[in-house]
Structure formats: structure tokens, C-alpha cells
């Protein structure tokens, strides 16, 4: 099977909900990484054979194939097709995995994959509604929403409020260090916006991290989903706006267009997991990806485990036996934010950046997914 390479990965800053991107149309937000990822590689947009975009809330501005709308809005040739993918929180990562699989199969040579979620202009759950499925209720009568699932997981696997808050505090500390050391500058592209006074400005850095967060402050927050629970606004992922794009190429395309690859896709997996608890998917997805790659967990140098809720990476680390010092070293969803459909593509880019910064070899990216699924991708620095 042929190899699929990451030529480049870019993203917008992750902006606080109802903040700087409030007046930026969802479609337009995606055009910035789309154009940046091909321009930086020196690739003509007409050579891109497909654009795969992960997006969870596909309604309003993100409806009617937002991927294709963004390609047209970016000024690309009408010959470039696009599609929009929904694997809930794993959508952006799934877009990259699908693109890699298409290249590995020989069907494509040059593809752009990525994700979008404008959670200000298209709020989470705004695509929900209608009659509840009688058959779904028959087979799975005890389904709950993710916040309650996080509480169930915490109780079943004995994860304490102390554990969750300490992990959340570390996420903020890591994000603060990464911002101070400008570790995201290679991947983050500037996005213009209009402020409240009508003045055009530019955002070129993630603005969600609470740089003054203290452990005592996190410990003082009230539970959100259950009165005696452990999940708070401080140890759950933040709601933000963001978009990302990843350029995937075959070896033949790299040679033909004189491209310089940054990483190779080594293995990928996606699994179903118990839908009531719903958040344990990264464990089995990780095991399967490692087995496909012929690797052991200790051989992974960089781990990106999405911080949907603090108990998710905590449980994954425990079950797989991962060194915590290798996990989310530059912060994660709790500190930087989790723009649902874009996060997976963002995390892949962050992992490649970190491999290059440290000169290490392998990274594994994994996420939990609503309704009980997990997804994983292993990349190798080139």
C-alpha cells in the first residue's frame, strides 16, 4: 500500500465563543486555512483532487455542504470538489483519515482535509430536533448526553474531582507555556475580524486560555451536570470557534510537485464503544492503531488525547499505560478549546509541530466521540 504524507497543516486561532469571530461568517472562517495550506506549499488549487471537511453542526451557515461552499468562497476553481463529514467530535480527524486512506489506495494524489466549527454563529445542538427514534430508544433506552456520560464514566472508573481539577489545571499551565514560547506560530494563521467598535483587527493567537487560572479557583467551581458530580466548566472543554486544513499527498505527487513532507500517516482506526458511557472509545481505538502500526505505547513520543472532559484522557492514560508527561504537553480542549468538527485536524497539526520541535518520531492522536465511538491516528515525523 502506498504511503500518505502530511505536507502541511494550518489552523485559525481558537477564538472564545461570542468573541472575536462573532462577525466572521462560518464559511469564510474556513477559507483562511484552505488558502493558507496550499499557498504555503506552493501548490496550485486546481491540482487538489478533493476537499474533505469535518463539521458537526451542519445547519444554518454550516449546512448545505459547507465544505463545498468554502471551496467556492475561497476562490478555488469550480473543478475542485468537496464534501462534509460528520463523525461528531471526531469529524476533523476522520476527514484527515479518509484523505490518507484515499491516497494510500491510489485513488487520490493530492487532497486537502480539515474541519470547521463556528460555535458562536451555529450553536452546538442547533441541528437537533424532531421525533426521537423509537428503534434507537428500543435498543438503547438509557442514552444520556455527554456531560452525564462523563459523570457516569468518572463514577464507574473511580476518577475523583481532585483528579479532574488537577488535570485541568495542568492543561492551562501547558497552554500558557506554549503561548509564551510561541509554539503554535508555525501552524496558526492570522484571521481578520471586526471588533465591537467596527475596527478591523487581526487575531493570530488562541485567546481562550485562562492564563490566571489557579487550582484553588478550579476547585471552587460548581458541578454543571450533576449536583454531586465532578464535571465543571473548568475541567470540561471550552466552546470556541475555529477551522483547520491539512494537505495530504502521495509520494508520487511529492516528487512531481517538489513538495517537502512533514510527516507520514502510519496507521488509523475507528471503533464503536458503549453508547451510554460513550467516552471510552479512545482506549480501544488506540490499541487498534498501535497494533496496526506494530508499535507499543512506550514508543509513542507525543500524545494528543482530546480533552472533551478531564476524565477522558485520565482514563485513557490509565488503561493504556501512558506516561502523563507525554500527553497534551501544549494544552488541550480544556484550555485551548474544542471547536467540535475542527479539533481532530487541529490536534494532528499540533502533534506534527511538537514532533518537529522536539526532534521525536511518533505521535498518536485520539478522541472520544458521541454515541460511543473512538478514533485514532498515528503519524511519523519525516
Amino acid at each position: 500500500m502506498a504511503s500518505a504524507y502530511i505536507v502541511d497543516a494550518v489552523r485559525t486561532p481558537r477564538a472564545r465563543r461570542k468573541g472575536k469571530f462573532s462577525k466572521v461568517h462560518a464559511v469564510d472562517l474556513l477559507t483562511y486555512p484552505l488558502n493558507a495550506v496550499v499557498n504555503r506549499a506552493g501548490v496550485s488549487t486546481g491540482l487538489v483532487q478533493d476537499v474533505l471537511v469535518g463539521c458537526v453542526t451542519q445547519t444554518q451557515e454550516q449546512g448545505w455542504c459547507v465544505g463545498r461552499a468554502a471551496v467556492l468562497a475561497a476562490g478555488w476553481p469550480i473543478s475542485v470538489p468537496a464534501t462534509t463529514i460528520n463523525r461528531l467530535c471526531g469529524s476533523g480527524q476522520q476527514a484527515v483519515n479518509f484523505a490518507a486512506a484515499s491516497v494510500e489506495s491510489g485513488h487520490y494524489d493530492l487532497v486537502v482535509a480539515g474541519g470547521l466549527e463556528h460555535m458562536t454563529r451555529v450553536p452546538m445542538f442547533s441541528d437537533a430536533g424532531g421525533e426521537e427514534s423509537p428503534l434507537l430508544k428500543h435498543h438503547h433506552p438509557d442514552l444520556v448526553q455527554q456531560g452525564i456520560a462523563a459523570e457516569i464514566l468518572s463514577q464507574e472508573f473511580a476518577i475523583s474531582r481532585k483528579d479532574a481539577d488537577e488535570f485541568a489545571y495542568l492543561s492551562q499551565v501547558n497552554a500558557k507555556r506554549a503561548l509564551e514560547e510561541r509554539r503554535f506560530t508555525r501552524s496558526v494563521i492570522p484571521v481578520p475580524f471586526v471588533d465591537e467598535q467596527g475596527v478591523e483587527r487581526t487575531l493570530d493567537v488562541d485567546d481562550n486560555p485562562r492564563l490566571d487560572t489557579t487550582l484553588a479557583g478550579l476547585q471552587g467551581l460548581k458541578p454543571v451536570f450533576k449536583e454531586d458530580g465532578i464535571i465543571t466548566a473548568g475541567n470540561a472543554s471550552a466552546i470556541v470557534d475555529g477551522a483547520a486544513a491539512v494537505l495530504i499527498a502521495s509520494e508520487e505527487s511529492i516528487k512531481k510537485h517538489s513538495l517537502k513532507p512533514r510527516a507520514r500517516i502510519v496507521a488509523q482506526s475507528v471503533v464503536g464503544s458503549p453508547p451510554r458511557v460513550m467516552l471510552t472509545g479512545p482506549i480501544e481505538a488506540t490499541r487498534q492503531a498501535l497494533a496496526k502500526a506494530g508499535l507499543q505505547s512506550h514508543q509513542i513520543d507525543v500524545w494528543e488525547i482530546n480533552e472533551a472532559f478531564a476524565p477522558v484522557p485520565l482514563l485513557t492514560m490509565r488503561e493504556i499505560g501512558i506516561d502523563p508527561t507525554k500527553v497534551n504537553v501544549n494544552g488541550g480542549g480544556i484550555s485551548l478549546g474544542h471547536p467540535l468538527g475542527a479539533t481532530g485536524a487541529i490536534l494532528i497539526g499540533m502533534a506534527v509541530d511538537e514532533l518537529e520541535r522536539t526532534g521525536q518520531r511518533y505521535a498518536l492522536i485520539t478522541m472520544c466521540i458521541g454515541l460511543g465511538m473512538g478514533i485514532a491516528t498515528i503519524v511519523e515525523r519525516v
Side-chain angles (χ1 to χ4, degrees):
M1 187 168 63
S3 291
Y5 293 91
I6 294 174
V7 176
D8 206 356
V10 302
R11 65 177 179 89
T12 70
R14 281 175 272 193
R16 289 185 186 181
R17 182 171 63 106
K18 298 183 179 179
K20 296 180 176 65
F21 290 165
S22 295
K23 296 180 182 179
V24 180
H25 194 284
V27 170
D28 295 353
L29 185 62
L30 181 54
T31 66
Y32 294 103
L34 286 182
N35 280 326
V37 79
V38 292
N39 289 341
R40 292 193 348 173
V43 169
S44 168
T45 53
L47 296 174
V48 176
Q49 294 165 298
D50 207 352
V51 176
L52 313 180
V53 175
C55 182
V56 175
T57 313
Q58 295 183 31
T59 188
Q60 302 172 35
E61 293 178 3
Q62 292 178 169
W64 213 46
C65 195
V66 69
R68 172 63 172 172
V71 166
L72 296 176
W76 289 24
I78 60 172
S79 58
V80 180
T83 191
T84 310
I85 297 160
N86 187 354
R87 199 185 286 279
L88 299 176
C89 290
S91 298
Q93 187 169 351
Q94 186 61 71
V96 175
N97 284 0
F98 276 155
S102 296
V103 169
E104 290 166 348
S105 70
H107 186 63
Y108 288 149
D109 286 308
L110 199 63
V111 193
V112 171
L116 163 72
E117 208 74 38
H118 201 312
M119 301 182 76
T120 296
R121 296 175 69 99
V122 189
M124 185 166 49
F125 304 130
S126 58
D127 59 338
E131 182 184 355
E132 185 176 6
S133 163
L135 287 176
L136 176 60
K137 191 172 182 179
H138 169 74
H139 290 290
H140 299 281
D142 57 353
L143 294 181
V144 295
Q145 54 105 325
Q146 278 199 326
I148 297 299
E151 293 287 7
I152 295 171
L153 179 144
S154 302
Q155 186 172 6
E156 287 190 3
F157 293 94
I159 296 172
S160 68
R161 170 70 185 267
K162 179 176 180 291
D163 295 334
D165 285 344
E166 289 178 349
F167 182 88
Y169 177 64
L170 182 61
S171 179
Q172 295 286 355
V173 169
N174 287 345
K176 181 179 181 180
R177 181 181 62 237
L179 290 169
E180 289 173 346
E181 296 180 2
R182 300 179 61 81
R183 294 186 185 182
F184 303 141
T185 53
R186 173 159 188 173
S187 293
V188 175
I189 56 171
V191 175
F193 69 95
V194 178
D195 68 15
E196 294 178 353
Q197 286 72 44
V199 178
E200 185 168 302
R201 301 186 182 278
T202 300
L203 182 65
D204 60 2
V205 64
D206 299 302
D207 73 354
N208 186 74
R210 310 285 178 169
L211 303 181
D212 57 351
T213 298
T214 64
L215 182 57
L218 291 171
Q219 292 169 336
L221 297 174
K222 294 182 178 180
V224 175
F225 303 103
K226 188 180 175 186
E227 190 173 344
D228 61 345
I230 76 163
I231 303 300
T232 70
N235 58 40
S237 56
I239 297 173
V240 296
D241 308 323
V246 182
L247 182 62
I248 308 289
S250 66
E251 186 171 358
E252 179 181 346
S253 185
I254 286 169
K255 293 176 179 177
K256 182 177 180 180
H257 303 296
S258 301
L259 303 175
K260 185 178 180 181
R262 298 177 61 192
R264 179 177 70 91
I265 305 290
V266 176
Q268 58 173 278
S269 67
V270 62
V271 302
S273 62
R276 176 171 168 80
V277 179
M278 131 177 19
L279 305 173
T280 59
I283 299 167
E284 184 57 29
T286 293
R287 287 172 176 155
Q288 289 193 15
L290 288 170
K292 289 179 180 179
L295 295 171
Q296 302 294 318
S297 60
H298 67 85
Q299 294 176 277
I300 302 299
D301 304 298
V302 173
W303 292 82
E304 290 291 344
I305 306 173
N306 187 40
E307 299 171 1
F309 303 95
V312 177
L314 285 169
L315 180 61
T316 304
M317 286 188 288
R318 180 199 299 175
E319 294 296 308
I320 301 296
I322 303 169
D323 180 354
T325 64
K326 297 181 177 182
V327 176
N328 301 0
V329 296
N330 295 313
I334 291 171
S335 52
L336 296 165
H338 175 24
L340 306 179
T343 301
I346 289 173
L347 294 184
I348 288 172
M350 286 178 64
V352 173
D353 285 347
E354 184 63 15
L355 287 177
E356 291 177 338
R357 187 185 75 84
T358 59
Q360 295 175 306
R361 184 174 183 181
Y362 290 115
L364 191 149
I365 303 92
T366 186
M367 305 181 70
C368 62
I369 302 173
L371 291 176
M373 290 182 283
I375 189 168
T377 310
I378 297 175
V379 300
E380 178 184 21
R381 181 177 65 88
V382 174

